[in-house]
Amino acid sequence: GAGVSQSPSNKVTEKGKDVELRCDPISGHTALYWYRQSLGQGLEFLIYFQGNSAPDKSGLPSDRFSAERTGGSVSTLTIQRTQQEDSAVYLCATTRWAGGEQYFGPGTRLTVT
Amino acid sequence: GESVGLHLPTLSVQEGDNSIINCAYSNSASDYFIWYKQESGKGPQFIIDIRSNMDKRQGQRVTVLLNKTVKHLSLQIAATQPGDSAVYFCAENIAGSARQLTFGSGTQLTVLP
């Protein structure tokens, strides 16, 4: 079946602008994670959704970052007033159940100029 | 804080040789470990996992070894091929937990012709 998809694949924006990144999970996967990956670095956890439970936002670096998941499916990560240090690849992953193997999307490469 | 780390940032091997990528973890509560492969411009791809009740698990051309005494795991790739060139991450979690995976910084494997 189809894997995790993310859009856009690349996004270039000016400092101070808002951006929205989208993640379409694998159908039936109940858990969804957002990670950030800076160049040459590992993955940094941002936020986690599980079913109808309140999301775990413990990894969000500032209040400029927010995310929502509508209807337990598609998720949108929003970064307001982007800064140059926000430049990174933003990865979405989903799992069939909490703690299970995570399937990753291809990521969105964000460049803030 | 607790983290997962890798011993070597880069590894170069001759095509056909075996590769060994090492990883150290410090969270003694972790009982589930995963190796991911990330090719340039793509999201991480699951390779193999192991639970703490095992010390070895084999897949196709890959073997993961877990030494809980020294909190160390390794990924062995047999007969390394050019297509194996990628960044390899180890990640840890507590099985069944909603916790996000904790990733190491990755090892860049380069297969030389």
Side-chain angles (χ1 to χ4, degrees), chain A residues 10-76:
Chain A
N10 283 284
K11 176 70 177 179
V12 180
T13 190
E14 293 180 352
K15 177 182 175 181
K17 300 283 190 181
D18 298 351
V19 295
E20 285 189 353
L21 312 179
R22 177 186 169 107
C23 172
D24 286 84
I26 295 173
S27 177
H29 279 201
T30 61
L32 186 148
Y33 302 77
W34 282 97
Y35 293 89
R36 178 168 69 175
Q37 185 176 31
S38 299
L39 185 64
Q41 300 296 314
L43 279 68
E44 174 190 4
F45 167 75
L46 296 177
I47 190 169
Y48 159 72
F49 296 90
Q50 170 62 49
N52 295 319
S53 302
D56 175 357
K57 304 179 182 180
S58 60
L60 294 178
S62 77
D63 58 7
R64 296 186 296 104
F65 289 71
S66 62
E68 62 178 22
R69 189 178 186 193
T70 54
S73 180
V74 173
S75 178
T76 302

Side-chain angles (χ1 to χ4, degrees), chain B residues 1 27-28 53 59-60 86 88 109-110:
Chain B
N27 186 348
S28 57
N53 60 349
Q60 186 178 10
Y88 290 80
L109 174 66
T110 302

Side-chain angles (χ1 to χ4, degrees), chain B residues 14-57:
Chain B
Q14 293 293 139
E15 181 178 355
D17 287 352
N18 297 334
S19 303
I20 299 177
I21 301 171
N22 296 302
C23 179
Y25 66 95
S26 57
N27 186 348
S28 57
S30 295
D31 57 4
Y32 179 54
F33 305 89
I34 308 175
W35 280 100
Y36 282 91
K37 171 186 179 182
Q38 187 175 26
E39 297 174 280
S40 181
K42 298 183 179 179
Q45 178 185 9
F46 173 90
I47 302 174
I48 191 168
D49 60 1
I50 188 168
R51 298 192 184 277
S52 59
N53 60 349
M54 304 173 68
D55 53 20
K56 180 179 180 179
R57 191 169 187 213

Side-chain angles (χ1 to χ4, degrees), chain B residues 87-100:
Chain B
V87 177
Y88 290 80
F89 294 95
C90 63
E92 54 150 347
N93 197 2
I94 299 173
S97 164
R99 267 187 58 193
Q100 72 282 1

